[in-house]
Amino acid sequence: MRTVKKFSIAFAKWVFIACAVGVIGGIVGSLFHMAVNFATGFRECHSWTLYLMPLAGLFIIFSYRVCKVNEETGTNLIISSVRGNIKVPLLMAPLIFLGTVLTHLTGGSAGREGAALQLGGSIGAKAGELLKLDEKDSSLVIMCGMSAVFAALFGTPLTATFFAMEVISVGVIYYVGLVPCIASSLIAYKISLLAGLAPTKFNITGIPRLSLVSVTQIAALAALCAVISILLCMVMEFSHSRFQMYLPNTYLRIAVGGVVIIALTLLVGTRDYNGAGVDVIVAALEKGKAHPEAFALKMLFTAITINTGFKGGEIVPTFFIGATFGCTAAGFLGLDPSFGAAIGLVALFCGVVNCPVASILLSYELFGGSGLVLFAVACGVSYMLSGYYGLYSSQKIMYSKTKPEYININAK
């Protein structure tokens, strides 16, 4: 009876906390979603906003300095805070909210999930502080916050749940977070639906039947995506170190980054690579159309945007890169371009975040249950062949990808 009572109390406690965090995360995530959508729509209707990018960048750095928050603070801090007693400043939430909206308003190539994780982590950290939770429980409530805002932003509660549980330590899934994270993500997801925000879903075609030929084709595409995932991580790390080396002044760095993005946009003659690039993702997935150079250009635009100091995230750009690359490569492998784009999106996501379970669930929530086994094959191949690279340097690789061996290293 004591055991039953103990677990019942713990269950009730975490459902209550998770639901409270889910409500706050759902409201904040929905408002953030609407703000980014408004900024994107305004930019598309007023092309002159691109030329404000250097000024927007200067304001972003200024706002962080005024609030005495390190502008380098980001998703890596949130990941580290789950593993240890690292304080997450509450001011990170409004700062990343504002910074990401300004980045999208002026045409920076960035996503939203980095902001979602930072918003959620800040909310969770503050909740843990107010409830006077200990270090372990505070880590768990931060995961709840991450799940909640991610679910509200993308409309993918299952992916949000397992992403928060998987991304911290590769090879270890924090199952203690299952009930709290799924409760908070479902509450936040429901709030986003009540706010009129449709979940992210795509209609893809050309899903092949399960056979030796189709599995071989998909494995080959996933292997190529693993190579692209390594390249993306290397480009992000290289550009980060070089910008810091040659432009140590953060104000100058972000202003130069804005000018370079303006110049590149004019040079390529299209606005496809500004913002998240959702229209290009939709074209690749639902129409099977993508320019062969699109994935490389998006990689370049994103590396400059993020590593000169603009705010946002790398995951939606990863969707763009994966979808356009998969769409292009599919034709050479005998796959339908629409289905190839879907495989590319999921496989590249898996390769850069090292979260195979979340990636398989992502394929289900984005594309439906058809071909789930094929998506699982792609995730498995990409996860193994992408090695120990990752977008988040604070992510721990706890176990080897090639044998059951404890290694405990940071992602490259």
Side-chain angles (χ1 to χ4, degrees), residues 7-24:
F7 282 96
S8 297
I9 291 172
F11 177 82
K13 164 191 168 182
W14 279 110
V15 168
F16 173 77
I17 292 173
C19 287
V21 172
V23 169
I24 299 170

Side-chain angles (χ1 to χ4, degrees), residues 10-11 13-22 137 139-148 161 164-165 174-188:
F11 177 82
K13 164 191 168 182
W14 279 110
V15 168
F16 173 77
I17 292 173
C19 287
V21 172
D137 284 353
S139 297
L140 192 51
V141 81
I142 289 173
M143 291 168 61
C144 288
M146 293 165 64
S147 298
T161 297
M165 292 163 55
Y174 290 77
Y175 283 112
V176 67
L178 181 58
V179 168
C181 287
I182 200 166
S184 62
S185 63
L186 285 174
I187 292 290

Side-chain angles (χ1 to χ4, degrees), residues 33 74 129 149 165 213 217 254 262 364 379:
H33 191 160
E129 183 182 326
V149 181
M165 292 163 55
V213 173
Q217 292 169 320
I254 203 166
I262 293 170
Y364 172 77
C379 291

